[in-house]
Amino acid sequence: MEENLTEEEILFLKEGVQFYESTKIKIFKISAFSITVFTLLMVVLKKPLDMILIVISIGCLLAIYLCFTVSMVPLIRTKKDIRGGIKLIRQTTIQKTKISEGQTNYILNNGFKVADIDFEEENLKSNVPKIGQTLLIKYTPHQKMVLSAKIIDEYST
């Protein structure tokens, strides 16, 4: 089932776009600094010019790869979600529970991971999610970002 994104969800996705854009800039700055340091180190150690050029080339390729995989792919997907303006609603069940760093994560039968913060607040107060419970999740189609989760039935064995 599909629904239109609310204004609040669009603002949330726009914050994600800003985060990915700032991450991209940070990756390029750190990469440029690292390449410069390694190049200067090789010059000081009097390495041959061809070795210095290889280090610079590999550093640039690594920087482009990191920027693309860490920042650009999620950025493009999030922008597609904003342009599309829809969210998908699916029913799924909890398969596993993992507790890490003071947060409980739930692994669902469709491969999604949902954290405590993804649940609607009044839903968590009345019901604690357990393995086997059915959830109604709302997520974006391209980035697969969970916008909200709601428990829709009681625990069943």
Side-chain angles (χ1 to χ4, degrees):
M1 191 164 88
E2 294 179 358
E3 280 184 7
N4 290 330
L5 289 170
T6 64
E7 288 298 317
E8 183 180 313
E9 292 165 339
I10 290 173
L11 288 174
F12 177 69
L13 291 175
K14 285 183 180 179
E15 286 177 15
V17 167
Q18 290 173 349
F19 169 77
Y20 291 127
E21 286 175 346
S22 66
T23 302
K24 175 179 62 173
I25 293 167
K26 288 176 186 175
I27 289 172
F28 274 129
K29 284 182 179 178
I30 291 170
S31 299
F33 178 75
S34 300
I35 291 169
T36 305
V37 167
F38 280 118
T39 304
L40 290 174
L41 181 66
M42 292 187 83
V43 168
V44 168
L45 295 175
K46 297 185 180 172
K47 297 293 179 181
L49 183 60
D50 59 343
M51 186 180 277
I52 294 172
L53 292 175
I54 289 172
V55 167
I56 292 171
S57 301
I58 290 173
C60 289
L61 290 173
L62 186 62
I64 291 169
Y65 174 76
L66 282 175
C67 180
F68 188 75
T69 56
V70 171
S71 180
M72 290 303 293
V73 171
L75 176 66
I76 291 167
R77 288 180 181 162
T78 306
K79 284 183 177 181
K80 281 183 184 177
D81 288 332
I82 292 172
R83 269 184 268 137
I86 60 167
K87 61 185 169 190
L88 301 175
I89 302 170
R90 297 282 185 266
Q91 186 173 334
T92 184
T93 57
I94 299 174
Q95 260 188 335
K96 288 183 191 176
T97 303
K98 283 186 179 180
I99 299 174
S100 61
E101 300 173 13
Q103 177 175 301
T104 306
N105 295 311
Y106 304 96
I107 299 171
L108 309 177
N109 66 349
N110 61 357
F112 282 92
K113 290 181 183 175
V114 178
D116 282 337
I117 59 172
D118 294 325
F119 285 93
E120 297 171 0
E121 220 171 289
E122 66 274 354
N123 200 249
L124 268 182
K125 289 178 183 175
S126 64
N127 221 345
V128 177
K130 298 177 184 94
I131 294 175
Q133 277 188 312
T134 304
L135 302 178
L136 193 65
I137 59 170
K138 297 177 182 178
Y139 62 96
T140 59
H142 297 288
Q143 182 63 12
K144 306 284 191 253
M145 183 186 304
V146 176
L147 300 170
S148 68
K150 183 178 179 183
I151 301 169
I152 58 173
D153 72 355
E154 292 297 318
Y155 177 73
S156 60
T157 55

